[in-house]
Amino acid sequence: MAGRTVRVQGFPAELPPDRAADKLTIHFLRSRNGGGDIADVRVLPGSPPCALITFEAPEVAQRILKVKNHVLAIGRTQYPLEVTLHAAELNPDEVLRG
């Protein structure tokens, strides 16, 4: 799964996990957002919540990461999303940058 999974934050915490997964799937399937075929979406609880989205191909994840402003629209509200590459293993460089 390395290189195919992105971590997404910024969607509303009050959104039920299944609905968040649906909204994120729709957003990241759209080609205008750099998206493509998705293998898996997992919404993880927490404060703030985050989601791990695994794409069928690593090229799609790379395209997603190149898009500067991902905004999830729910009703009339716009939620800016933070999208980063999800490292399967803990990378010491990532820990130091935090």
Side-chain angles (χ1 to χ4, degrees), residues 6 12 24 36-37 47 58 72 80 93:
V6 296
L24 292 169
D37 292 336
S47 184
L72 184 66
D93 293 336

Side-chain angles (χ1 to χ4, degrees), residues 7-15 17 42-51:
R7 179 183 187 97
V8 180
Q9 290 180 283
F11 54 93
E14 63 275 5
L15 205 59
R42 285 190 301 160
V43 176
L44 307 176
S47 184
C50 74

Side-chain angles (χ1 to χ4, degrees), residues 2-70:
R4 297 189 305 138
T5 303
V6 296
R7 179 183 187 97
V8 180
Q9 290 180 283
F11 54 93
E14 63 275 5
L15 205 59
D18 58 336
R19 185 132 185 267
D22 289 347
K23 293 286 188 185
L24 292 169
T25 298
I26 292 166
H27 178 85
F28 288 106
L29 274 172
R30 291 188 174 136
S31 58
R32 74 173 186 214
N33 296 326
D37 292 336
I38 294 172
D40 186 48
V41 176
R42 285 190 301 160
V43 176
L44 307 176
S47 184
C50 74
L52 300 179
I53 302 174
T54 302
F55 295 94
E56 294 286 346
E59 306 83 59
V60 179
Q62 294 308 310
R63 279 199 316 264
I64 289 289
L65 292 167
K66 287 180 183 169
V67 173
K68 294 295 176 215
N69 297 311
H70 285 284

